[in-house]
Structure formats: C-alpha cells, structure tokens
Amino acid sequence: MTRTLIKNADVVVTMDAARREISGGRVLVEDGVIVAVGEGIAAEAVDETIDASGCVVTPGLVNTHHHLFQTLVRAVPGGQDALLFGWLKTLYPIFLKMTPEDFFVSAQVGLAELALSGCTMSSDHQYIFPNGAKLEDTVAAATSIGVRFHATRGSMSVGESAGGLPPDRLTEAEPDILKDCERVVDALHDPADGAMVRVALAPCSPFSVSTGLMKETAELARQKGVMLHTHLAENDEDIDYSLETFGCRPGDYAESLGWTGDDVWHAHCVKLDGSEIDLFSRSGTGVAHCPCSNCRLGSGIAPVRQMRDAGVKVGLGVDGSASNDSGHMLSEARQALLLQRVKNGADAMSAREALEIATLGGARVLGRHDCGSIDVGKRADIAIWDISGLAAAGSWDPVAALVLCGPFGVRDLLVEGRRVVSGGVLTGVDLGAVLEAAKGRVARLMG
C-alpha cells in the first residue's frame, strides 16, 4: 500500500456535493484513491508528504475534446484566417503526409502541454488514420506522459467524390471502420473504476460520414458498453448543411440516429437552439465546450449559460491545436467565463463555476463518476497550484485567481496518486527530447 499526504494547503477546493473549500486542508491518498479530506488529518506510515504551503489544491482539470494529431500543425498560414470548412481544406493535404510516429510525437507534445496546465484526464478525437496510423499511437503517448486518457476511434467515410468535405484518400470504407472500432474497444477499453484508458466511438461529423455509419456506430457502441462522440452544430455552415442535406437541425438529426443519451457527448454545440438544449437536458447528452477554438474559427459563442441552467452536462475542451492554437485548460476556463459575460452580462458566470466546468463538469461529460472532485472514494487526480508568484500577486481570492489571473502552470500534478508533474517538471518524459522530435517532424511535414 502506498500512502501520500498533501498538507498545509492554503485552500483545498473539493468540488464535492457541498462545494467545500477547506483552508489549511489536507488530502490523504492510498493506492490512488482519496481516503480522507479535511483539516488535521492524522496520517501514520505515510510514504510521501507533499507540502502545499502557499498553494491552492484542486481536482485535476478534465479536457473533453481534442485532436492531438493537430499539435504539429499549429499556426499553418493558409488556415489562420479561414472559417471551419476552408480551414479543414487547408489542413487535409498535410494530414495525408502524417505517419504513426507523427501521431505519437504530436500527442506527446499536446498531452505534455495539458499536464503542465493541470489536466489529469483528456479525451482525444482521432478521425484519420493515414499511412498505417492506429489509435494505439496516441494511447502510447498518453501512457508515456502519465495522464488518464479517453481515446475515441473517429472516422470519415464520405469523401469529395461522394459530396463530402475530405479528400477521398483520408476516408475509409465503412466495413473497415466498424471492424477496427470493435478491435480497439476489445484491445484497449477498460470499463473499471480508476481506468487509465477508455475508448469511445466517434465518427467525425455529419458532413464526413454516412447516416448508415452513424447508426451502426451507435449500435456497436451500445453493444460494447462504450460512449459516443462527434462534432455537432459548430457554426452556421454546419447548420446550413444539416438543413439542406437532412432536412432538419443537427440536434434533431442526432436524435433520429440514436445519438442522444447519457452515453453521448457532442463537441462545440455553438448553434444549438432552445429546443435542442431541452433535448440534451432531457436525454442526459453532454457537451464539450471549446471557447478558444470557437473564437479562433469565428464560429460564435455557445449558449453555455442556457445549457447549464437547463441542466445540460457541460465540460471544457481545448480542441485541436490547429484551431486554438494551444492546449491550456485554465485559459479555456477563463475564456468560457469571458464569453458568457460578453453574451449575458458580468454576472453570467463566476470564476468558481468556470472551474467547476473544467473539473467536475468534464468528468461527468466523460462518464467518470470516479473522478472530478476531491472526495473520499474518488481517484486521486489532483492539481497543486503555487499562488505565491507574480501571476497571482495582489489577488484577494486565491480560488478565483486561478481562473482570472493565474498561475498558468501547475506545480505538482497527481494522476491515480502518482506524480506526473513535480515542481513544474514532467516526470515521465524528457520534455527537451519531445520538443526536439516535434521540431524534426514539423520540418518533414513542411517539406
């Protein structure tokens, strides 16, 4: 048995049912599980003690939407000022060049950035598999960094020749897609509490796969007991496509295919209307809100306030680094807060609500009842933030400061009770070597 005690925290932000914030709090961890939270916890035979003096302790942040293979295509000139569809057409030719090693290195860079920004669990939506790439490439990268990982087996089956957006060479035959979906679930998915790797099934979008594939994927996912994920209602082009092609709005289309429910989460949902929000609330469907990407692509401001008020599950996503172009979870929380205030007024969202969406909200969207809060029985996914530095200097409220002003780097990060970041440094990989590998891979893709 391994026991770790976190002590002397300026405040422990629990995100438990009472939303307790414990000054001078302590957290005791045994074998990856939180066994005690409070003040003055007596702990004997502790293997490691972490002094959190001058720090705020929070649950680890949860990223509900990413495209990790895009980390090697940040700030591509042709896509910097394009809307969604034009941006995608700029990137597709680059994606065609990518190899399994590119996918691995790109995921390492993206997950390293997330971990250093306090993220303990990330989803990833990989919907292309050129040149022999497999889902295992990104899973291996997540294992090397040490974060909890929800890999989604994406797909594109409708290419340009069939009226779709992607080039035909980036699409796959639907029988092959379904066969590999079943393979990766059987090989990689762990349904148990504390799972480090889970798999979901995730056709890319309604404009890149057939209606038949959407339905068959949903049926397979429910046979296998895994979740479903896709993009939905991202911008006006998305709405227009749905109305023209399917004769209905995206939410109605999703419902007709079996793509609503507690086992489904959709990315973006910028353009959901009131009836679709009500549908998501009634069905328990989750949303991955990606505020920075939505700004970068000019997609609009998602109706997060209305979703939350209606009881829709909402988490945060950094989205792919080709459309953000960073992967920083606290920045995402801050942007979510700012956008809701721009749209609905200065009292529309508090810093604490934004932090809740970034932690507990994300865990709920991903179906992880075992994560998302610092509570007895939950997994020990914990972020420790040093607020004694310049970023938070002068702040009166250290919890609000995390969202409003910083710090923007985590001091220590525990996943399943193990240190993934210690003193601001990744413990599982040599970051310099990762960056050097990324530099070489980008040079090859640019050639």
Side-chain angles (χ1 to χ4, degrees), residues 62-150:
V62 179
N63 177 38
T64 61
H65 186 64
H66 210 322
H67 305 292
L68 284 165
F69 68 88
Q70 294 181 10
T71 312
L72 296 185
V73 289
R74 300 184 190 198
V76 171
Q80 289 177 17
D81 305 312
L83 296 176
L84 176 64
F85 284 15
W87 169 82
L88 283 168
K89 288 182 176 180
T90 298
L91 295 175
Y92 284 147
I94 304 173
F95 295 162
L96 281 165
K97 299 180 183 180
M98 295 187 75
T99 66
E101 183 65 18
D102 291 326
F103 279 81
F104 174 78
V105 172
S106 191
Q108 270 198 321
V109 173
L111 291 167
E113 184 178 19
L114 282 171
L116 289 169
S117 77
C119 178
T120 53
M121 178 163 57
S122 180
S123 172
D124 181 51
H125 189 185
Q126 183 178 337
Y127 55 82
I128 59 169
F129 299 87
N131 307 308
K134 295 182 178 180
L135 203 65
E136 283 87 343
D137 301 323
T138 50
V139 171
T143 300
S144 73
I145 300 297
V147 295
R148 214 177 289 277
F149 196 55
H150 283 222

Side-chain angles (χ1 to χ4, degrees), residues 328-351:
H328 192 287
M329 283 295 298
L330 275 185
S331 294
E332 218 65 47
R334 187 174 192 269
Q335 190 73 3
L337 175 150
L338 295 176
L339 288 178
Q340 293 311 301
R341 291 185 176 199
V342 166
K343 186 174 183 178
N344 302 300
D347 60 351
M349 181 173 288
S350 69

Side-chain angles (χ1 to χ4, degrees), residues 15-33:
M15 292 297 170
D16 65 6
R19 301 297 188 270
R20 289 182 302 157
E21 297 178 5
I22 305 169
S23 298
R26 292 185 168 200
V27 182
L28 182 62
V29 176
E30 289 184 1
D31 292 336
V33 177

Side-chain angles (χ1 to χ4, degrees), residues 71-72 105-106 109 432-445:
T71 312
L72 296 185
V105 172
S106 191
V109 173
V434 172
L435 295 176
E436 191 63 29
K439 183 178 178 181
R441 290 281 146 189
V442 170
R444 189 189 67 79
L445 292 171

